Amino acid sequence: MGGDDSIADILKRIYGPLVGTEALVRIMPMLDASPMKKRGQAGFFSNSDAVLITYGDSLNHPGEYPLATLDRFAREYLRPAFSAIHVLPFFPYSSDDGFSVTDFFAVNPKLGGWDDIGRLGRNFELMADLVVNHISSQSDWFRRYLDRKPGFEDLALEADPGQDLSGVIRPRTTPLLTPYRKTDGRTVHVWTTFSDDQIDLNYRSPGVLEKMIDVLLFYVRQGVSLIRLDAIAYLWKEIGTSCIHLPQTHDMVRLFRAVLDRVAPDTVIVTETNVPHAENIAYFGNGRDEAQMVYNFTLPPLLLHAFVRRDATMLTRWARELTLPSDQTAFFNFTASHDGIGVRPLEGILPETEIAALVGHVRAGGGYVSCRRSADGSEAPYELNITYVDALNGPDDGDAVRAARFLASQAVGLVLPGVPGVYIHSLLGSRNWHEGGGLTGRARTVNRRPLAADEVLREILTPGTLRHRIFHPYVRMLAIRRQQPAFHPNAGFEVLDLSPRCFAVRRFCEDQNLLALTSVSGEGMSLDLSGLGSPVFRDLITGTIFDSGNIRLPPFGFLWLA
């Protein structure tokens, strides 16, 4: 099921024969002590797969742990729509809403405990983050490093601030190196790619690798079946290089895959790399030796561009070229996340003028723009921080238009080949939370609002509210999608060029042939599909029967035609 390299081969390639052998001696007893764990399903993916993305405290109820509230809400309202739940870092942390972990082996006590995580896992598959690049400066591990405790002396990656690090590519504008004083009085400058509170781990040390594989195996034992490798692209550093996508980083992904193939062969690795498309899909490796699933980072900004311009030409052109290296791989198709809408994935696809126009559109819609430091020292847009509902719509649009345009955008994400990933604030139709940015000082907080569960329930159960207009059609669309074999992630697909105002894709397998049409325009249109070989079509969503010579697509309408 995995690649051709053995664990020993990969370790020797990363570390050389001597240190590679030392690393193998450290790792193999851990693997030998781990019982084989299998989910028992045939293949990695199916058309029934769909993932809800949420923070542990996205829904809150007085007197109840948020993870218990999430479990109750999911069991009652989401079982027809989702097969899995991705709970974003639910560990104790010091900053970055969970991505600066202080203890990889604990659940944040404000959210609940491992029993609550296990309860979620009885009804849904679990996806969890392996925050692989860094650890909190307030963690016990880092304190031991500062104290020079045995086994932690080389935890962090030290560097001379006088070295030329100008070629390093990173997603932040904060200083790359941060000074810390060790208990012996010596000041060291450690690598901090993401913030001064997030200490990059030194994977040149077999001891660090051993610790993180221990974490990985622990998550598998807790029932996690999808492992998201957070910020994996930056894992290995070499002075004098860009320090992104280095060969050792890809070998580390191969190593994690080889480890899981040995002890939990049905566990899925998902890589998170907010970079241009070709760099992103490189983490599929040869189709069997790296990630089984890769975040489709180009989809969110290019989909937004199609609806803002009311022209799907560039989206159609890009989607037509989507390919997978094997049937053991799939795209993770998401349109919104806890972070923002990445800008770098548009490089080489849209001209700079179009990207600048998209940035201006988001700012006009009440969103923010986070920047990164370029190699020449300048700042460049990195991601757009805004809810996807507000990104698509203007400030003066009514709720009916907001919901229609938004649901049409989500329909595109559901018909492309891959596994859908739906952020909870998209499912619930959330608007920008500007007050949150003021509380935290971080632009990303605009799309991370903790919600009162009772208030959310009132709104989704009250006809006419924006949440009601979005939630129920979205859940129904997901439920219908899961029943269609032609939407299997590896089923055939063909992107059609019917009109600049329409995104059209044909999905097909031995048992089914579907044509999905989505209008990116606020104007209705008629399409003649009589040349596609069927006199009539039936829409799976409404049950409506259409004459193939006169398919009427309403403004921001979408049809799944069988």
Side-chain angles (χ1 to χ4, degrees), residues 437-450:
L439 292 172
T440 67
R442 295 190 302 272
R444 289 175 166 181
T445 309
V446 74
N447 197 19
R448 297 180 177 182
R449 184 176 189 175

Side-chain angles (χ1 to χ4, degrees), residues 92 94-95 101 109 111 115 125 155 171 315 328 336 370 490 512 524 527 533:
S94 55
S95 64
V101 180
L111 301 179
D115 287 346
E125 289 193 63
L155 180 83
L315 178 65
Q328 295 182 30
S370 297
N490 301 126
Q512 194 177 40
L527 297 169

